[in-house]
Amino acid sequence: MNLSVQQKLENLSHRFEEITGLLATPEVQNDQNRFKALSREYAQLEPCVACFRRYRETLEGLDHAQALLQDPDPEVRSLAREELETGRKRCDALEQELQILLLPRDPNDERNVFLEVRAGTGGAEAAIFAGDLQRMYSRYAERQGWRAEIVSESEGEHGGYKEVVMRISGQNVYSRLKFEAGTHRVQRVPTTEAQGRIHTSACTVAILPEFDDVEIDINPADLRIDTFRASGAGGQHVNRTDSAIRITHIPTGTVVECQDERSQHKNRARAMSLLQARILAAAQEKQNSEIAASRKLQVGSGDRSERIRTYNFPQGRLTDHRINLTIYRLDAIMEGDLDPVIDPLLQEHQADMLASLAGS
């Protein structure tokens, strides 16, 4: 490990110890904003500092084993050589882990997200598949200890959704889901198919980080706000009152709806948060449109040819075309076991970042 990296890790360790002390002081504990900010920084630093401690302990073990090579007892020297070999491999692995932990963080990684699924090419079967994807992500959120709630929905005629928007909240949600954005293609025999032929349909998935109110300034004069009665489930109280909210941002034509909450006030707040996320996402997409590397994970038109992933039900196969990943456990994936898909995508992204830094 070079000296500059080691010095950076030493500085992070000192900062971690400083934050640990500050969090125990009454002044910080009585200041909720500062306590929250320091707690967030503590959580960010902890994995890196813990890994650096293991790395230093391994180095100390290597020094001890190196000294034992001078022992007159041949058995001790043999054990020392084994310990050196094991320690060096562990040291290399920890250096690699530290390199990844030191990579620049996406500032949105810790944010909650709005996950939008829209039926694309394929008619009724695309809507049914959109429902399957919504269920898959809900199950995955449950496995992660996150909270998933439907913000708005437009049901398909034969089941599923023409469009469904979920808010998923929890720890590091965006960091795990950000590579799900794009066109998802399904190949299977639809329940509506009488002759047993395999059909190909598609849905688009968008992942929008949820931003704080202060991060975007929307002029109230640019908004048209309508209320209406929620049409989905939610009990008699929801259906009897005009609690659902539709907000139109006139300059961009962006329209959002929220009918999940019984309170019109809560629906309005949630809809405004979704509106901010969509407007910011559109601005970022425009800004990054000329960067080819960032385009591969963006949502396409919903056409079957513009796919990031294929779900082949007859073969029980999932293929992610961006990293040429193929997994034959589609049933488990559709039940929310998405880590075998998400982890390789994250590793590929980290490898690309490491290669970019090495070449700079």
Side-chain angles (χ1 to χ4, degrees), residues 156-174:
E157 295 179 5
H158 300 281
Y161 299 101
K162 296 177 183 177
E163 175 182 332
V164 59
V165 180
M166 290 194 300
R167 178 181 181 267
I168 302 180
S169 57
Q171 186 174 8
N172 297 321
V173 177
Y174 186 77

Side-chain angles (χ1 to χ4, degrees), residues 99 103-104 291 293 347-360:
Q99 284 184 329
L103 287 173
I291 306 174
Q347 291 163 9
E348 182 75 12
H349 176 63
Q350 290 165 352
D352 287 346
M353 291 183 70
L354 286 170
S356 175
L357 290 174
S360 61

Side-chain angles (χ1 to χ4, degrees), residues 40-341:
R40 186 183 298 115
E41 188 178 356
Y42 179 96
Q44 291 174 350
L45 292 177
E46 187 175 25
C48 190
V49 171
C51 185
F52 186 45
R53 286 173 180 168
R54 295 195 297 272
Y55 177 76
R56 288 191 293 195
E57 289 169 1
T58 304
L59 287 180
E60 291 174 3
L62 287 175
D63 290 340
H64 179 68
Q66 189 71 38
L68 289 178
L69 289 176
Q70 309 303 320
D71 195 283
D73 188 335
E75 186 174 347
V76 172
R77 294 198 301 273
S78 176
L79 289 172
R81 283 191 290 270
E82 291 179 9
E83 188 175 338
L84 276 172
E85 183 178 357
T86 302
R88 284 167 181 159
K89 289 180 181 178
R90 178 170 172 76
C91 213
D92 289 342
L94 288 170
E95 280 196 25
Q96 179 71 14
E97 186 177 347
L98 284 168
Q99 284 184 329
I100 292 172
L101 288 169
L102 287 173
L103 287 173
R105 287 179 59 86
D106 186 327
N108 295 327
D109 274 353
E110 296 182 0
R111 295 189 183 278
N112 303 326
V113 305
F114 290 104
L115 186 151
E116 304 179 352
V117 184
R118 292 184 177 84
T121 307
E125 169 61 8
I128 293 170
F129 182 52
D132 293 338
L133 290 177
Q134 184 272 332
R135 180 175 178 272
M136 177 185 76
Y137 289 121
S138 294
R139 290 291 181 89
Y140 182 64
E142 184 179 341
R143 286 169 177 256
Q144 296 293 310
W146 301 336
R147 181 184 179 189
E149 50 192 330
I150 292 179
V151 173
S152 67
E153 58 187 340
S154 174
E155 297 181 355
E157 295 179 5
H158 300 281
Y161 299 101
K162 296 177 183 177
E163 175 182 332
V164 59
V165 180
M166 290 194 300
R167 178 181 181 267
I168 302 180
S169 57
Q171 186 174 8
N172 297 321
V173 177
Y174 186 77
S175 71
R176 299 293 297 173
L177 292 179
K178 60 185 175 183
F179 298 123
E180 292 302 296
T183 300
H184 296 237
R185 182 177 69 171
V186 61
Q187 295 172 328
R188 65 182 175 188
V189 179
T191 56
T192 55
E193 170 57 52
Q195 300 181 18
R197 294 174 297 185
I198 296 175
H199 288 221
T200 300
S201 305
C203 293
T204 59
V205 174
I207 305 294
L208 308 177
E210 182 182 33
F211 292 91
D212 299 332
D213 291 340
V214 297
E215 297 191 43
I216 181 171
D217 184 22
I218 297 177
N219 188 345
D222 291 336
L223 301 178
R224 185 174 70 246
I225 301 176
D226 303 304
T227 60
F228 60 98
R229 291 188 182 180
S231 58
Q236 294 179 353
H237 178 79
V238 172
N239 295 325
R240 285 179 180 172
T241 61
D242 292 339
S243 60
I245 292 288
R246 181 185 298 111
I247 302 178
T248 303
H249 186 241
I250 298 170
T252 62
T254 304
V255 181
V256 298
E257 294 181 357
C258 183
Q259 55 182 316
D260 181 58
E261 301 286 350
R262 296 187 177 191
S263 161
Q264 186 182 112
H265 176 73
K266 290 181 179 178
N267 277 330
R268 178 170 177 151
R270 184 64 50 79
M272 281 297 296
S273 183
L274 176 56
L275 180 65
Q276 291 179 100
R278 284 190 179 172
I279 291 174
L280 277 171
Q284 290 168 351
E285 167 68 10
K286 183 177 180 180
Q287 184 179 14
N288 295 332
S289 61
E290 298 179 359
I291 306 174
S294 70
R295 292 291 295 171
K296 66 180 180 180
L297 299 180
Q298 299 302 314
V299 176
S301 66
D303 185 83
R304 287 176 295 226
S305 62
E306 297 181 352
R307 83 279 187 196
I308 63 165
R309 189 176 295 161
T310 295
Y311 303 72
N312 186 300
F313 279 79
Q315 297 178 16
R317 168 176 57 84
L318 179 142
T319 300
D320 195 291
H321 304 286
R322 294 165 295 181
I323 57 174
N324 296 319
L325 172 71
T326 298
I327 301 174
Y328 287 91
R329 47 179 303 178
L330 185 55
D331 288 346
I333 290 167
M334 298 306 296
E335 288 297 318
D337 187 14
L338 272 172
D339 281 340
V341 184

